[in-house]
Amino acid sequence: MLNSDHPELPPHSEPESTFSDRGGAQDSAGLGICPQSRVSEAGEAGKKELQHLSREERRRRRRATAKYRTAHATRERIRVEAFNLAFAELRKLLPTLPPDKKLSKIEILRLAICYISYLNHVLDV
């Protein structure tokens, strides 16, 4: 089953060329020498691989990347800082003895509920 034109070639192999069937430049050993072609081939293969996955699986894989995790951690840090600032502002509005007493978040919320109820009662009287 050898090709009569190229008897040294193993069965089912193609003659060497300067371009692969995927369009990337090749060296004499048939290895890609163009890094862009390898990147695009990997990207195309990745896209084809992701097409058959469910929406949740694609989302899970995207969230597993280091870039996504870093961005998510940054967003979460900003959210927590804003949350803590809101509690600090609410804490400043509540009367306590001593005034600088450290309160937990749940204590701040419970005290705010009581204080609002008290203010409503004062307005109703």
Side-chain angles (χ1 to χ4, degrees):
M1 187 130 162
L2 292 175
N3 188 337
S4 61
D5 295 337
H6 299 282
E8 71 280 352
L9 294 176
H12 301 346
S13 68
E14 297 175 10
E16 296 173 2
S17 70
T18 56
F19 291 96
S20 73
D21 56 339
R22 294 183 188 165
Q26 299 267 326
D27 63 6
S28 61
L31 302 174
I33 57 173
C34 179
Q36 292 174 341
S37 67
R38 276 190 240 139
V39 170
S40 64
E41 288 172 8
E44 290 172 13
K47 287 179 186 176
K48 289 179 184 177
E49 179 183 325
L50 291 177
Q51 286 177 348
H52 73 279
L53 298 175
S54 69
R55 181 183 223 174
E56 284 97 27
E57 183 63 24
R58 285 193 304 266
R59 182 178 297 141
R60 201 173 299 125
R61 286 191 181 190
R62 184 179 66 242
R63 289 180 177 173
T65 64
K67 181 179 177 182
Y68 182 90
R69 286 192 309 269
T70 303
H72 178 72
T74 303
R75 287 191 306 269
E76 180 65 10
R77 197 174 306 107
I78 291 168
R79 185 192 70 81
V80 169
E81 287 174 4
F83 189 75
N84 289 336
L85 282 174
F87 269 102
E89 291 296 315
L90 179 59
R91 170 65 188 88
K92 290 177 188 175
L93 300 173
L94 300 174
T96 57
L97 288 173
D100 58 346
K101 182 181 179 200
K102 176 76 172 140
L103 299 172
S104 70
K105 291 174 182 168
I106 191 70
E107 289 172 329
I108 292 171
L109 292 174
R110 288 181 178 149
L111 187 58
I113 290 168
C114 290
Y115 189 54
I116 291 168
S117 296
Y118 167 76
L119 292 174
N120 279 332
H121 177 72
V122 168
L123 290 174
D124 288 341
V125 172

